[in-house]
Amino acid sequence: MDNHSGVGVVDKAAAILGALEHGPATLAKLVETTHLARPTVHRIALALEHHHLVGRNTSGAFILGARFSQLAATVGEDRLVSAAQPVLTVLRDRTGESSQLYRLYGSQRICIAAADRPVGLRDSIPVGTAMTMHAGSAAQVLLAWADPQHMHAGLEGSRFTATDLALVREQGYAESAGEREPGVSSVSAPVWGTAGTVIAAVSISGPIERLTLHPAAAHARSVVDAAQQLTEVLRRTQVA
């Protein structure tokens, strides 16, 4: 692919953002990956940070910025989201809990579709919300079938282990209780794209008092069925 548009500063910014798509990077790592001069990388990275296209993690490394979660939400009218909305609505009605669809973006997962429980205590995740990959059943699902490099990076500092991810692959779903947020339980299952990779995670979430510490016992089948239904729809429409 020709990565040169003829507009130099745009090409350089795109190279930096492309490097950050694979996870956090120091200035030195960005220079090494993009093959651009250090002052150039530093100047453009700071400009991108000003526009919230680039941010920093707790150790000071560059990461993709919060603006991408907002942009991702506006792209929500693609076929994946259109196909997911009725599936999430049925899943919500079947389980009585709020349902969500997450996609992996860089070192975060983003909620790209949701169907909230209409009344009572619920776990409401607004579309466009960027969440950690270090906790929660959806994070486990998105990492369980990731390539080794992304899986290893995702496990650093996470509240689950490689053994936990192996169990997720074996049973075809993940559950969590109080892992992402105290008092919240969730169950998630993978959505597969036409390329044979996991492209999203279908989830339900709600209070532990209702879902219990082991929410999969009552709801794993419903969540897996919903994920499989969405997978079949995407297969027929050739998405991802």
Side-chain angles (χ1 to χ4, degrees), residues 160-207:
F160 44 80
T161 67
T163 300
D164 294 326
L165 297 186
L167 179 60
V168 171
R169 290 191 295 274
E170 178 183 335
Q171 60 193 13
Y173 62 84
E175 67 175 346
S176 68
E179 189 176 280
R180 170 177 61 83
E181 184 178 338
V184 174
S185 288
S186 67
V187 184
S188 300
V191 177
W192 295 83
T194 55
T197 58
V198 172
I199 61 169
V202 168
S203 301
I204 62 164
S205 59

Side-chain angles (χ1 to χ4, degrees), residues 23-187:
T26 62
L27 179 60
K29 182 64 176 177
L30 286 176
V31 170
E32 177 187 347
T33 303
T34 63
H35 306 292
L36 298 172
R38 185 183 182 92
T40 298
V41 173
H42 187 250
R43 173 172 55 84
I44 295 176
L46 290 182
L48 292 170
E49 187 175 17
H50 175 77
H51 291 285
H52 306 292
L53 293 168
V54 164
R56 308 282 186 114
N57 64 13
T58 54
S59 64
F62 290 103
I63 59 173
L64 290 174
R67 181 68 179 136
F68 278 102
S69 65
Q70 300 165 355
L71 293 172
T74 65
V75 178
E77 291 305 319
D78 63 9
R79 285 182 293 169
L80 173 58
V81 173
S82 297
Q85 203 61 58
V87 173
L88 293 179
T89 300
V90 170
L91 178 61
R92 177 201 63 194
D93 295 344
R94 182 176 176 183
T95 62
E97 303 296 342
S98 297
S99 60
Q100 307 89 26
L101 181 70
Y102 294 97
R103 290 197 83 166
L104 179 63
Y105 198 94
S107 58
Q108 298 176 307
R109 56 184 166 108
I110 295 175
C111 177
I112 62 171
D116 280 344
R117 176 187 169 99
V119 295
L121 190 61
R122 61 187 179 271
D123 183 38
S124 181
I125 310 295
V127 171
T129 301
M131 304 181 76
T132 179
M133 286 295 292
H134 291 156
S137 62
Q140 292 180 43
V141 164
L142 291 171
L143 281 179
W145 285 274
D147 63 77
Q149 179 182 354
H150 282 86
M151 185 186 299
H152 178 74
L155 284 170
E156 291 184 10
S158 71
R159 299 188 64 182
F160 44 80
T161 67
T163 300
D164 294 326
L165 297 186
L167 179 60
V168 171
R169 290 191 295 274
E170 178 183 335
Q171 60 193 13
Y173 62 84
E175 67 175 346
S176 68
E179 189 176 280
R180 170 177 61 83
E181 184 178 338
V184 174
S185 288
S186 67
V187 184

